[in-house]
Amino acid sequence: PSDRLLKFVTVGLPLFLVSLAFAREFSAGSQISCFSPTNFTGKQSAYVDTACWDSLLHHGFDAEGQAVTKSLWALKVFPYSLLVVAVLMYMPYLLWRYAAAPALHSDLLFIIDELDKSYNRSVRLVQHMRKVQQASAEPERFWEEYERARRERYFEFPLLERYLTCKQHAHSLVFIYILRNLLLLLFLAATCLYLVFLHLNIFFQDEFSCSIKTGLLQAEPHIPPLIPCKLVFFSIFQLISLSIGGVYVLLIPVVVYNALQLCQWDKGLLSVYEMLPAFDLLSRKMLTCPVNDLNVILLFLRANISELTSFGRLNAVSALREATANKQDIDTVVDFMTLLAGLETTKPKH
């Protein structure tokens, strides 16, 4: 869910604002308003607006009184720069979608299926034990079945455990995951720095002095050397840049938080399945360095926990385990399944 939110905000927001900027630029007529001399005709005033918009050069004077020029072309290319930002923000998601998502999807389907199968096997075993108890006139036979179930580890699923152990030694998914987050951080930081640069250098200057005394008009005496102009779209571009900058600054901690999730194991997910006797990744200290493919799989498995039917049921069993007074007598899902099936878990003394 957090990935979808990041994708929507980082990519969708610039594209939406780009559409607004282009709509403002192409539908609102002239983007500049110049104060032409009173003796200029309408066509001459329109020429001044066009020439100043094409040049976007501010002619001023420094502290020593020398003439200086400052280009404002960044304002003209601002909508196109937002389009570039949107394309850059989409690149990490393309990398993840085509380089990692197919393999991760197959891993999640396999793990979810195997975990649910282990739970279903335990349910079938309890049903069998229940039938044995009802059909047998000797209670000892039931308890012999019970002890054999615990001794022969009917709940063992070595394929899944070995598969998860193998994923601990793989690093392709985690490499792409870290690379994607680093690219997102890089593009977010670069965009914020670009907007800061615009605000410090350009976005506080909505008025500038334009000169049209170039070419054939350079020798015309009735044309003033400088003509004051005002940018009509200036406030809109300011609002757009502040919106994108504010949202991206807030997204940087979110991306950092997503990346730091790899620094620790999601033991809450695995501990629920630790009740299964053969599933002991945690108890055998098999979870070592968390920066590997298994941790990435667990992160996305947690995000898609609704697809894992057995988790909710085993989580309820885990809550019963915490509420049980004598935890040493009820320590595995076998005991809880027999308890939930209506069987007495305490073996007769005789």
Side-chain angles (χ1 to χ4, degrees), residues 52 55-61 67-73 201 205-211 226-229:
C52 292
S55 64
L56 274 182
L57 286 177
H58 170 61
H59 297 266
F61 300 92
V68 294
T69 58
K70 181 180 180 181
S71 176
L72 303 178
W73 257 75
N201 292 274
Q205 188 168 354
D206 59 338
E207 298 180 356
F208 66 100
S209 298
C210 174
S211 175
L226 296 176
I227 298 176
C229 296

Side-chain angles (χ1 to χ4, degrees), residues 150-209:
R150 295 171 61 88
R151 183 174 58 255
E152 296 184 6
R153 299 168 67 90
Y154 282 4
F155 302 98
E156 189 169 338
F157 40 104
L159 176 61
L160 176 60
E161 187 162 339
R162 291 178 183 177
Y163 186 78
L164 295 180
T165 305
C166 178
K167 286 298 178 179
Q168 283 187 270
H169 305 290
H171 299 86
S172 58
L173 286 178
V174 72
F175 173 77
I176 300 175
Y177 185 81
I178 293 176
L179 179 61
R180 187 198 65 169
N181 284 280
L182 289 178
L183 288 177
L184 274 177
L185 282 177
L186 176 63
F187 295 151
L188 287 173
T191 303
C192 292
L193 291 177
Y194 170 69
L195 295 176
V196 168
F197 169 78
L198 290 182
H199 275 274
L200 292 179
N201 292 274
I202 298 174
F203 274 4
F204 287 108
Q205 188 168 354
D206 59 338
E207 298 180 356
F208 66 100
S209 298

Side-chain angles (χ1 to χ4, degrees), residues 98-115:
Y98 291 103
L104 178 62
H105 182 67
S106 61
D107 289 338
L108 290 177
L109 289 179
F110 172 74
I111 293 172
I112 289 174
D113 183 62
E114 287 298 317
L115 289 176

Side-chain angles (χ1 to χ4, degrees), residues 17-315:
L17 295 177
V18 163
S19 63
L20 290 181
F22 278 117
R24 178 69 179 86
E25 181 174 353
F26 294 117
S27 65
S30 177
Q31 303 301 306
I32 196 171
S33 178
C34 295
F35 188 72
S36 304
T38 55
N39 59 346
F40 275 29
T41 64
K43 290 185 177 182
Q44 290 175 330
S45 299
Y47 172 81
V48 171
D49 292 346
T50 303
C52 292
W53 172 246
D54 289 339
S55 64
L56 274 182
L57 286 177
H58 170 61
H59 297 266
F61 300 92
D62 57 10
E64 299 178 355
Q66 297 181 354
V68 294
T69 58
K70 181 180 180 181
S71 176
L72 303 178
W73 257 75
L75 291 174
K76 180 177 288 189
V77 300
F78 181 67
Y80 303 94
S81 64
L82 292 183
L83 187 61
V84 173
V85 168
V87 173
L88 290 178
M89 289 299 175
Y90 196 63
M91 289 177 58
Y93 297 102
L94 288 178
L95 172 67
W96 179 259
R97 179 177 179 180
Y98 291 103
L104 178 62
H105 182 67
S106 61
D107 289 338
L108 290 177
L109 289 179
F110 172 74
I111 293 172
I112 289 174
D113 183 62
E114 287 298 317
L115 289 176
D116 286 342
K117 281 181 179 179
S118 66
Y119 176 83
N120 294 333
R121 285 197 297 267
S122 66
V123 172
R124 288 195 297 269
L125 176 60
V126 171
Q127 292 173 348
H128 170 70
M129 294 168 62
R130 179 69 171 174
K131 291 179 181 179
V132 169
Q133 186 201 33
Q134 292 175 348
S136 175
E138 301 177 358
E140 287 297 329
R141 184 178 177 184
F142 165 73
W143 292 108
E144 289 176 2
E145 270 309 302
Y146 181 80
E147 292 298 334
R148 189 165 65 90
R150 295 171 61 88
R151 183 174 58 255
E152 296 184 6
R153 299 168 67 90
Y154 282 4
F155 302 98
E156 189 169 338
F157 40 104
L159 176 61
L160 176 60
E161 187 162 339
R162 291 178 183 177
Y163 186 78
L164 295 180
T165 305
C166 178
K167 286 298 178 179
Q168 283 187 270
H169 305 290
H171 299 86
S172 58
L173 286 178
V174 72
F175 173 77
I176 300 175
Y177 185 81
I178 293 176
L179 179 61
R180 187 198 65 169
N181 284 280
L182 289 178
L183 288 177
L184 274 177
L185 282 177
L186 176 63
F187 295 151
L188 287 173
T191 303
C192 292
L193 291 177
Y194 170 69
L195 295 176
V196 168
F197 169 78
L198 290 182
H199 275 274
L200 292 179
N201 292 274
I202 298 174
F203 274 4
F204 287 108
Q205 188 168 354
D206 59 338
E207 298 180 356
F208 66 100
S209 298
C210 174
S211 175
I212 61 172
K213 292 181 69 67
T214 57
L216 297 176
L217 300 179
Q218 189 171 6
E220 295 292 333
H222 65 282
I223 296 179
L226 296 176
I227 298 176
C229 296
K230 183 177 179 63
L231 298 171
V232 179
F233 60 89
F234 187 79
S235 59
I236 298 178
F237 278 10
Q238 269 190 328
L239 180 61
I240 291 176
S241 63
L242 289 175
S243 301
I244 294 180
V247 172
Y248 280 11
V249 168
L250 294 177
L251 285 180
I252 289 178
V254 177
V255 178
V256 174
Y257 174 79
N258 283 341
L260 292 180
Q261 291 299 302
L262 293 177
C263 296
Q264 60 181 358
W265 289 102
D266 186 4
K267 295 184 178 180
L269 179 63
L270 292 181
S271 62
V272 173
Y273 288 91
E274 282 270 302
M275 291 185 296
L276 299 174
F279 195 85
D280 50 2
L281 280 174
L282 291 178
S283 60
R284 288 199 293 165
K285 307 297 182 183
M286 295 178 66
L287 297 178
T288 54
C289 177
V291 185
N292 52 54
D293 287 358
L294 177 58
N295 202 8
V296 177
I297 293 173
L298 292 179
L299 290 177
F300 281 86
L301 187 62
R302 170 68 72 175
N304 297 273
I305 199 66
S306 60
E307 303 294 330
L308 192 57
T309 306
S310 59
F311 177 80
R313 298 177 181 178
L314 286 179
N315 201 25

